[in-house]
Amino acid sequence: MAVVEHRLGQMENRHESVPTRITKLEQQFEHMSDQLSELNEGQQALTVVVSGIGKKITWSMGVAAAAWAILQMLVPVVLRVVFP
């Protein structure tokens, strides 16, 4: 009988501590959820910035390519006029 009482006492002690553990895990989960939400917002902002930089680079490369093509066509003509 003493063994049964001892085991029942252990079960009661364990059940009393479970809500504390669950509450702590819930708090940790909520904290990590908040951190992930903040990380997601930061990542979205970073994506917008990188997309803007990509657009600027694309336009600059297009302008540079067009300018280079124009220079390749005009430089020989100018050199022929200057040095006949």
PDB file of all heavy atoms in Angstrom, residues 13-37:
ATOM      1  N   ASN A  13       2.579  15.037  -8.131  1.00  0.00           N
ATOM      2  CA  ASN A  13       3.649  16.035  -8.262  1.00  0.00           C
ATOM      3  C   ASN A  13       3.948  16.336  -9.725  1.00  0.00           C
ATOM      4  O   ASN A  13       4.157  17.478 -10.107  1.00  0.00           O
ATOM      5  CB  ASN A  13       4.916  15.562  -7.555  1.00  0.00           C
ATOM      6  CG  ASN A  13       4.770  15.598  -6.050  1.00  0.00           C
ATOM      7  OD1 ASN A  13       3.914  16.313  -5.529  1.00  0.00           O
ATOM      8  ND2 ASN A  13       5.579  14.824  -5.365  1.00  0.00           N
ATOM      9  N   ARG A  14       3.993  15.294 -10.534  1.00  0.00           N
ATOM     10  CA  ARG A  14       4.274  15.498 -11.959  1.00  0.00           C
ATOM     11  C   ARG A  14       3.160  16.292 -12.623  1.00  0.00           C
ATOM     12  O   ARG A  14       3.409  17.164 -13.440  1.00  0.00           O
ATOM     13  CB  ARG A  14       4.460  14.165 -12.665  1.00  0.00           C
ATOM     14  CG  ARG A  14       5.773  13.509 -12.336  1.00  0.00           C
ATOM     15  CD  ARG A  14       5.961  12.246 -13.133  1.00  0.00           C
ATOM     16  NE  ARG A  14       7.190  11.585 -12.725  1.00  0.00           N
ATOM     17  CZ  ARG A  14       7.423  10.313 -12.906  1.00  0.00           C
ATOM     18  NH1 ARG A  14       6.527   9.540 -13.483  1.00  0.00           N
ATOM     19  NH2 ARG A  14       8.564   9.786 -12.512  1.00  0.00           N
ATOM     20  N   HIS A  15       1.922  15.961 -12.292  1.00  0.00           N
ATOM     21  CA  HIS A  15       0.803  16.675 -12.907  1.00  0.00           C
ATOM     22  C   HIS A  15       0.753  18.126 -12.457  1.00  0.00           C
ATOM     23  O   HIS A  15       0.298  18.986 -13.207  1.00  0.00           O
ATOM     24  CB  HIS A  15      -0.527  15.972 -12.595  1.00  0.00           C
ATOM     25  CG  HIS A  15      -0.720  14.711 -13.368  1.00  0.00           C
ATOM     26  ND1 HIS A  15      -0.831  14.688 -14.725  1.00  0.00           N
ATOM     27  CD2 HIS A  15      -0.798  13.415 -12.973  1.00  0.00           C
ATOM     28  CE1 HIS A  15      -0.980  13.439 -15.149  1.00  0.00           C
ATOM     29  NE2 HIS A  15      -0.965  12.637 -14.102  1.00  0.00           N
ATOM     30  N   GLU A  16       1.204  18.416 -11.271  1.00  0.00           N
ATOM     31  CA  GLU A  16       1.229  19.806 -10.816  1.00  0.00           C
ATOM     32  C   GLU A  16       2.270  20.617 -11.574  1.00  0.00           C
ATOM     33  O   GLU A  16       2.083  21.797 -11.816  1.00  0.00           O
ATOM     34  CB  GLU A  16       1.529  19.869  -9.313  1.00  0.00           C
ATOM     35  CG  GLU A  16       0.381  19.400  -8.449  1.00  0.00           C
ATOM     36  CD  GLU A  16       0.753  19.360  -6.979  1.00  0.00           C
ATOM     37  OE1 GLU A  16       1.916  19.672  -6.646  1.00  0.00           O
ATOM     38  OE2 GLU A  16      -0.108  19.006  -6.170  1.00  0.00           O
ATOM     39  N   SER A  17       3.357  19.996 -11.956  1.00  0.00           N
ATOM     40  CA  SER A  17       4.418  20.737 -12.637  1.00  0.00           C
ATOM     41  C   SER A  17       4.179  20.857 -14.140  1.00  0.00           C
ATOM     42  O   SER A  17       4.802  21.672 -14.799  1.00  0.00           O
ATOM     43  CB  SER A  17       5.778  20.086 -12.379  1.00  0.00           C
ATOM     44  OG  SER A  17       5.808  18.795 -12.957  1.00  0.00           O
ATOM     45  N   VAL A  18       3.289  20.058 -14.698  1.00  0.00           N
ATOM     46  CA  VAL A  18       3.060  20.087 -16.144  1.00  0.00           C
ATOM     47  C   VAL A  18       2.532  21.439 -16.615  1.00  0.00           C
ATOM     48  O   VAL A  18       3.040  21.985 -17.580  1.00  0.00           O
ATOM     49  CB  VAL A  18       2.124  18.926 -16.569  1.00  0.00           C
ATOM     50  CG1 VAL A  18       1.631  19.127 -17.994  1.00  0.00           C
ATOM     51  CG2 VAL A  18       2.853  17.613 -16.448  1.00  0.00           C
ATOM     52  N   PRO A  19       1.536  22.040 -15.994  1.00  0.00           N
ATOM     53  CA  PRO A  19       1.070  23.341 -16.503  1.00  0.00           C
ATOM     54  C   PRO A  19       2.161  24.397 -16.529  1.00  0.00           C
ATOM     55  O   PRO A  19       2.205  25.211 -17.442  1.00  0.00           O
ATOM     56  CB  PRO A  19      -0.050  23.716 -15.532  1.00  0.00           C
ATOM     57  CG  PRO A  19      -0.539  22.416 -14.996  1.00  0.00           C
ATOM     58  CD  PRO A  19       0.671  21.544 -14.932  1.00  0.00           C
ATOM     59  N   THR A  20       3.061  24.365 -15.567  1.00  0.00           N
ATOM     60  CA  THR A  20       4.156  25.330 -15.563  1.00  0.00           C
ATOM     61  C   THR A  20       5.045  25.111 -16.782  1.00  0.00           C
ATOM     62  O   THR A  20       5.427  26.060 -17.464  1.00  0.00           O
ATOM     63  CB  THR A  20       4.994  25.188 -14.282  1.00  0.00           C
ATOM     64  OG1 THR A  20       4.127  25.320 -13.165  1.00  0.00           O
ATOM     65  CG2 THR A  20       6.080  26.226 -14.234  1.00  0.00           C
ATOM     66  N   ARG A  21       5.339  23.857 -17.059  1.00  0.00           N
ATOM     67  CA  ARG A  21       6.181  23.568 -18.227  1.00  0.00           C
ATOM     68  C   ARG A  21       5.474  23.976 -19.514  1.00  0.00           C
ATOM     69  O   ARG A  21       6.080  24.548 -20.403  1.00  0.00           O
ATOM     70  CB  ARG A  21       6.522  22.072 -18.280  1.00  0.00           C
ATOM     71  CG  ARG A  21       7.514  21.636 -17.256  1.00  0.00           C
ATOM     72  CD  ARG A  21       7.917  20.203 -17.523  1.00  0.00           C
ATOM     73  NE  ARG A  21       8.091  19.532 -16.251  1.00  0.00           N
ATOM     74  CZ  ARG A  21       7.906  18.252 -16.038  1.00  0.00           C
ATOM     75  NH1 ARG A  21       7.524  17.478 -17.010  1.00  0.00           N
ATOM     76  NH2 ARG A  21       8.100  17.728 -14.864  1.00  0.00           N
ATOM     77  N   ILE A  22       4.200  23.655 -19.595  1.00  0.00           N
ATOM     78  CA  ILE A  22       3.458  23.993 -20.809  1.00  0.00           C
ATOM     79  C   ILE A  22       3.395  25.502 -20.978  1.00  0.00           C
ATOM     80  O   ILE A  22       3.583  26.018 -22.074  1.00  0.00           O
ATOM     81  CB  ILE A  22       2.052  23.368 -20.773  1.00  0.00           C
ATOM     82  CG1 ILE A  22       2.176  21.858 -20.906  1.00  0.00           C
ATOM     83  CG2 ILE A  22       1.183  23.932 -21.881  1.00  0.00           C
ATOM     84  CD1 ILE A  22       0.887  21.112 -20.761  1.00  0.00           C
ATOM     85  N   THR A  23       3.154  26.215 -19.896  1.00  0.00           N
ATOM     86  CA  THR A  23       3.099  27.670 -19.970  1.00  0.00           C
ATOM     87  C   THR A  23       4.440  28.223 -20.432  1.00  0.00           C
ATOM     88  O   THR A  23       4.489  29.127 -21.268  1.00  0.00           O
ATOM     89  CB  THR A  23       2.737  28.265 -18.591  1.00  0.00           C
ATOM     90  OG1 THR A  23       1.505  27.700 -18.171  1.00  0.00           O
ATOM     91  CG2 THR A  23       2.612  29.753 -18.653  1.00  0.00           C
ATOM     92  N   LYS A  24       5.530  27.668 -19.908  1.00  0.00           N
ATOM     93  CA  LYS A  24       6.850  28.133 -20.316  1.00  0.00           C
ATOM     94  C   LYS A  24       7.083  27.853 -21.801  1.00  0.00           C
ATOM     95  O   LYS A  24       7.590  28.710 -22.531  1.00  0.00           O
ATOM     96  CB  LYS A  24       7.923  27.449 -19.471  1.00  0.00           C
ATOM     97  CG  LYS A  24       9.312  27.947 -19.745  1.00  0.00           C
ATOM     98  CD  LYS A  24      10.324  27.306 -18.831  1.00  0.00           C
ATOM     99  CE  LYS A  24      11.705  27.819 -19.132  1.00  0.00           C
ATOM    100  NZ  LYS A  24      12.730  27.192 -18.309  1.00  0.00           N
ATOM    101  N   LEU A  25       6.701  26.677 -22.265  1.00  0.00           N
ATOM    102  CA  LEU A  25       6.856  26.343 -23.678  1.00  0.00           C
ATOM    103  C   LEU A  25       5.993  27.249 -24.548  1.00  0.00           C
ATOM    104  O   LEU A  25       6.423  27.669 -25.629  1.00  0.00           O
ATOM    105  CB  LEU A  25       6.497  24.875 -23.921  1.00  0.00           C
ATOM    106  CG  LEU A  25       7.497  23.848 -23.414  1.00  0.00           C
ATOM    107  CD1 LEU A  25       6.929  22.439 -23.580  1.00  0.00           C
ATOM    108  CD2 LEU A  25       8.814  23.971 -24.136  1.00  0.00           C
ATOM    109  N   GLU A  26       4.778  27.551 -24.086  1.00  0.00           N
ATOM    110  CA  GLU A  26       3.919  28.460 -24.844  1.00  0.00           C
ATOM    111  C   GLU A  26       4.546  29.836 -24.952  1.00  0.00           C
ATOM    112  O   GLU A  26       4.508  30.466 -26.011  1.00  0.00           O
ATOM    113  CB  GLU A  26       2.542  28.563 -24.186  1.00  0.00           C
ATOM    114  CG  GLU A  26       1.691  27.323 -24.360  1.00  0.00           C
ATOM    115  CD  GLU A  26       0.402  27.400 -23.563  1.00  0.00           C
ATOM    116  OE1 GLU A  26       0.280  28.273 -22.672  1.00  0.00           O
ATOM    117  OE2 GLU A  26      -0.487  26.579 -23.838  1.00  0.00           O
ATOM    118  N   GLN A  27       5.129  30.305 -23.855  1.00  0.00           N
ATOM    119  CA  GLN A  27       5.786  31.618 -23.874  1.00  0.00           C
ATOM    120  C   GLN A  27       6.963  31.611 -24.836  1.00  0.00           C
ATOM    121  O   GLN A  27       7.154  32.564 -25.601  1.00  0.00           O
ATOM    122  CB  GLN A  27       6.249  32.001 -22.473  1.00  0.00           C
ATOM    123  CG  GLN A  27       5.130  32.344 -21.523  1.00  0.00           C
ATOM    124  CD  GLN A  27       5.626  32.540 -20.100  1.00  0.00           C
ATOM    125  OE1 GLN A  27       6.774  32.238 -19.778  1.00  0.00           O
ATOM    126  NE2 GLN A  27       4.753  33.058 -19.239  1.00  0.00           N
ATOM    127  N   GLN A  28       7.759  30.551 -24.797  1.00  0.00           N
ATOM    128  CA  GLN A  28       8.897  30.461 -25.715  1.00  0.00           C
ATOM    129  C   GLN A  28       8.419  30.403 -27.160  1.00  0.00           C
ATOM    130  O   GLN A  28       9.001  31.034 -28.041  1.00  0.00           O
ATOM    131  CB  GLN A  28       9.741  29.225 -25.382  1.00  0.00           C
ATOM    132  CG  GLN A  28      10.510  29.343 -24.092  1.00  0.00           C
ATOM    133  CD  GLN A  28      11.249  28.060 -23.739  1.00  0.00           C
ATOM    134  OE1 GLN A  28      11.022  27.010 -24.322  1.00  0.00           O
ATOM    135  NE2 GLN A  28      12.131  28.158 -22.747  1.00  0.00           N
ATOM    136  N   PHE A  29       7.341  29.658 -27.407  1.00  0.00           N
ATOM    137  CA  PHE A  29       6.795  29.561 -28.763  1.00  0.00           C
ATOM    138  C   PHE A  29       6.301  30.922 -29.233  1.00  0.00           C
ATOM    139  O   PHE A  29       6.557  31.322 -30.377  1.00  0.00           O
ATOM    140  CB  PHE A  29       5.665  28.536 -28.796  1.00  0.00           C
ATOM    141  CG  PHE A  29       5.020  28.418 -30.136  1.00  0.00           C
ATOM    142  CD1 PHE A  29       5.656  27.742 -31.162  1.00  0.00           C
ATOM    143  CD2 PHE A  29       3.784  28.988 -30.381  1.00  0.00           C
ATOM    144  CE1 PHE A  29       5.071  27.639 -32.412  1.00  0.00           C
ATOM    145  CE2 PHE A  29       3.192  28.888 -31.623  1.00  0.00           C
ATOM    146  CZ  PHE A  29       3.833  28.206 -32.640  1.00  0.00           C
ATOM    147  N   GLU A  30       5.590  31.649 -28.388  1.00  0.00           N
ATOM    148  CA  GLU A  30       5.097  32.974 -28.766  1.00  0.00           C
ATOM    149  C   GLU A  30       6.258  33.924 -29.047  1.00  0.00           C
ATOM    150  O   GLU A  30       6.209  34.701 -29.994  1.00  0.00           O
ATOM    151  CB  GLU A  30       4.201  33.540 -27.661  1.00  0.00           C
ATOM    152  CG  GLU A  30       2.862  32.850 -27.567  1.00  0.00           C
ATOM    153  CD  GLU A  30       2.034  33.344 -26.394  1.00  0.00           C
ATOM    154  OE1 GLU A  30       2.484  34.269 -25.681  1.00  0.00           O
ATOM    155  OE2 GLU A  30       0.940  32.808 -26.200  1.00  0.00           O
ATOM    156  N   HIS A  31       7.302  33.842 -28.210  1.00  0.00           N
ATOM    157  CA  HIS A  31       8.477  34.695 -28.421  1.00  0.00           C
ATOM    158  C   HIS A  31       9.130  34.378 -29.757  1.00  0.00           C
ATOM    159  O   HIS A  31       9.467  35.283 -30.536  1.00  0.00           O
ATOM    160  CB  HIS A  31       9.452  34.509 -27.267  1.00  0.00           C
ATOM    161  CG  HIS A  31      10.700  35.313 -27.393  1.00  0.00           C
ATOM    162  ND1 HIS A  31      10.709  36.685 -27.322  1.00  0.00           N
ATOM    163  CD2 HIS A  31      11.987  34.944 -27.605  1.00  0.00           C
ATOM    164  CE1 HIS A  31      11.948  37.120 -27.471  1.00  0.00           C
ATOM    165  NE2 HIS A  31      12.741  36.087 -27.656  1.00  0.00           N
ATOM    166  N   MET A  32       9.292  33.081 -30.052  1.00  0.00           N
ATOM    167  CA  MET A  32       9.904  32.691 -31.323  1.00  0.00           C
ATOM    168  C   MET A  32       9.002  33.071 -32.494  1.00  0.00           C
ATOM    169  O   MET A  32       9.486  33.461 -33.553  1.00  0.00           O
ATOM    170  CB  MET A  32      10.200  31.199 -31.332  1.00  0.00           C
ATOM    171  CG  MET A  32      11.294  30.808 -30.382  1.00  0.00           C
ATOM    172  SD  MET A  32      11.602  29.061 -30.461  1.00  0.00           S
ATOM    173  CE  MET A  32      13.323  29.091 -30.893  1.00  0.00           C
ATOM    174  N   SER A  33       7.686  32.986 -32.309  1.00  0.00           N
ATOM    175  CA  SER A  33       6.759  33.408 -33.362  1.00  0.00           C
ATOM    176  C   SER A  33       6.914  34.889 -33.653  1.00  0.00           C
ATOM    177  O   SER A  33       6.928  35.304 -34.814  1.00  0.00           O
ATOM    178  CB  SER A  33       5.319  33.151 -32.925  1.00  0.00           C
ATOM    179  OG  SER A  33       4.911  31.886 -33.257  1.00  0.00           O
ATOM    180  N   ASP A  34       7.035  35.686 -32.592  1.00  0.00           N
ATOM    181  CA  ASP A  34       7.233  37.123 -32.777  1.00  0.00           C
ATOM    182  C   ASP A  34       8.542  37.398 -33.504  1.00  0.00           C
ATOM    183  O   ASP A  34       8.600  38.246 -34.393  1.00  0.00           O
ATOM    184  CB  ASP A  34       7.220  37.848 -31.422  1.00  0.00           C
ATOM    185  CG  ASP A  34       5.839  37.821 -30.777  1.00  0.00           C
ATOM    186  OD1 ASP A  34       4.850  37.586 -31.493  1.00  0.00           O
ATOM    187  OD2 ASP A  34       5.773  38.037 -29.537  1.00  0.00           O
ATOM    188  N   GLN A  35       9.593  36.682 -33.112  1.00  0.00           N
ATOM    189  CA  GLN A  35      10.883  36.863 -33.776  1.00  0.00           C
ATOM    190  C   GLN A  35      10.795  36.494 -35.255  1.00  0.00           C
ATOM    191  O   GLN A  35      11.350  37.180 -36.115  1.00  0.00           O
ATOM    192  CB  GLN A  35      11.961  36.025 -33.094  1.00  0.00           C
ATOM    193  CG  GLN A  35      12.406  36.569 -31.758  1.00  0.00           C
ATOM    194  CD  GLN A  35      13.483  35.701 -31.123  1.00  0.00           C
ATOM    195  OE1 GLN A  35      13.571  34.516 -31.380  1.00  0.00           O
ATOM    196  NE2 GLN A  35      14.286  36.310 -30.274  1.00  0.00           N
ATOM    197  N   LEU A  36      10.097  35.399 -35.561  1.00  0.00           N
ATOM    198  CA  LEU A  36       9.953  34.991 -36.966  1.00  0.00           C
ATOM    199  C   LEU A  36       9.139  36.012 -37.749  1.00  0.00           C
ATOM    200  O   LEU A  36       9.430  36.276 -38.919  1.00  0.00           O
ATOM    201  CB  LEU A  36       9.303  33.608 -37.049  1.00  0.00           C
ATOM    202  CG  LEU A  36      10.204  32.437 -36.669  1.00  0.00           C
ATOM    203  CD1 LEU A  36       9.403  31.138 -36.644  1.00  0.00           C
ATOM    204  CD2 LEU A  36      11.373  32.314 -37.621  1.00  0.00           C
ATOM    205  N   SER A  37       8.134  36.593 -37.115  1.00  0.00           N
ATOM    206  CA  SER A  37       7.339  37.626 -37.793  1.00  0.00           C
ATOM    207  C   SER A  37       8.202  38.839 -38.106  1.00  0.00           C
ATOM    208  O   SER A  37       8.146  39.395 -39.210  1.00  0.00           O
ATOM    209  CB  SER A  37       6.163  38.046 -36.920  1.00  0.00           C
ATOM    210  OG  SER A  37       5.280  36.975 -36.736  1.00  0.00           O
TER     211      SER A  37
END
